[in-house]
Amino acid sequence: MNTPTDERATSDTQEAIMEATFRALSKHGYNDLRMRDIGEEMEMTRQVIHYHFDGKYDLMSHFLEYIIEQYEGSVEVDSDAPPREELDARIDQCLFGPKFDDFGHWDRMKVYHELFTYAQNDERHREMFNTHYGRIRSSITEVVEEGIEQGVFRDVDASRMGQLITDIIHAARGRKLSLGHDDAPDETRAAIDEFILESLTFDE
């Protein structure tokens, strides 16, 4: 029977594998990635990784879940924060990410977007990305709806607004990562403020 200590040790090992996978994918890319590459990033043997995951594909599926959980669980907004403040926080989190002690946001996004590209040929991973996209869009939509109900946002189609903001964020991240436009996130944030949020919010 597993004890709490055993479960913590297993969880710690799996997290170490996930973080090593980030670094290995960043160096080698998805196609050329080997389990040995991951082991070298964490100074463990392939056997340890195979003990926890049934091959590369199983590892990648868990890894994708790990990435998504990192971002979905990291938005911190006070429960009584006004809708505009919460909307700003969610947009900033999607564009600029949470802070990490090691292997920063854009290093992680580079890996995320590579897997996103391959998802077009992988039904399971495509479904995971679709679910993630849906949750991000819904979280933004819900804030817009709340703002409309409170009378601080104009009466717009909240669902379409949530989709628009989410798509703009994805496009900005892709432009930075694929085209090397390092100023894309900051430019996009300014454009969202000027052309979307200013028109969404009633003049004070």
Side-chain angles (χ1 to χ4, degrees):
M1 180 177 179
N2 289 339
T3 66
T5 301
D6 293 334
E7 292 175 357
R8 282 196 299 273
T10 296
S11 177
D12 289 346
T13 300
Q14 290 178 344
E15 183 172 2
I17 293 171
M18 295 293 99
E19 289 297 314
T21 302
F22 263 125
R23 296 189 293 272
L25 274 168
S26 181
K27 290 179 181 179
H28 303 283
Y30 179 73
N31 276 339
D32 295 330
L33 182 70
R34 300 168 299 176
M35 302 295 263
R36 183 173 65 190
D37 299 323
I38 299 171
E40 289 175 353
E41 291 294 330
M42 58 187 298
E43 298 181 352
M44 293 186 182
T45 65
R46 285 180 296 173
Q47 285 71 26
V48 174
I49 302 173
H50 283 294
Y51 175 80
H52 290 278
F53 302 101
D54 186 21
K56 177 180 174 180
Y57 185 78
D58 182 51
L59 172 59
M60 286 297 100
S61 296
H62 282 84
F63 176 70
L64 184 52
E65 292 176 352
Y66 179 76
I67 300 175
I68 290 171
E69 287 173 4
Q70 278 190 330
Y71 280 84
E72 290 187 353
S74 58
V75 180
E76 296 183 2
V77 182
D78 291 338
S79 58
D80 59 349
R84 175 60 191 267
E85 182 178 322
E86 181 176 354
L87 187 55
D88 281 334
R90 294 191 176 280
I91 292 170
D92 284 341
Q93 186 78 314
C94 289
L95 268 176
F96 305 108
K99 293 182 179 179
F100 296 95
D101 294 333
D102 184 34
F103 205 74
H105 165 65
W106 289 111
D107 293 316
R108 292 168 190 265
M109 280 293 100
K110 174 185 174 184
V111 173
Y112 175 97
H113 274 262
E114 181 174 7
L115 295 179
F116 185 87
T117 300
Y118 282 103
Q120 61 183 314
N121 299 315
D122 188 308
E123 184 175 352
R124 180 182 176 185
H125 290 179
R126 185 168 64 249
E127 182 178 350
M128 293 169 69
F129 276 112
N130 264 319
T131 300
H132 178 46
Y133 172 87
R135 286 198 290 257
I136 292 175
R137 182 183 61 192
S138 294
S139 69
I140 294 174
T141 298
E142 288 168 7
V143 179
V144 174
E145 289 174 339
E146 182 67 21
I148 294 171
E149 290 176 7
Q150 293 184 19
V152 297
F153 289 160
R154 299 183 187 278
D155 188 7
V156 300
D157 186 324
S159 179
R160 291 179 65 186
M161 178 62 72
Q163 181 174 329
L164 173 63
I165 293 174
T166 304
D167 287 348
I168 290 172
I169 289 168
H170 274 74
R173 294 196 310 206
R175 185 158 70 87
K176 173 181 170 64
L177 292 165
S178 298
L179 302 181
H181 296 179
D182 290 337
D183 54 356
D186 289 315
E187 289 181 342
T188 298
R189 187 63 175 98
I192 290 174
D193 280 340
E194 181 177 355
F195 300 113
I196 296 179
L197 298 187
E198 288 301 318
S199 65
L200 179 65
T201 307
F202 286 110
D203 293 332
E204 296 183 357

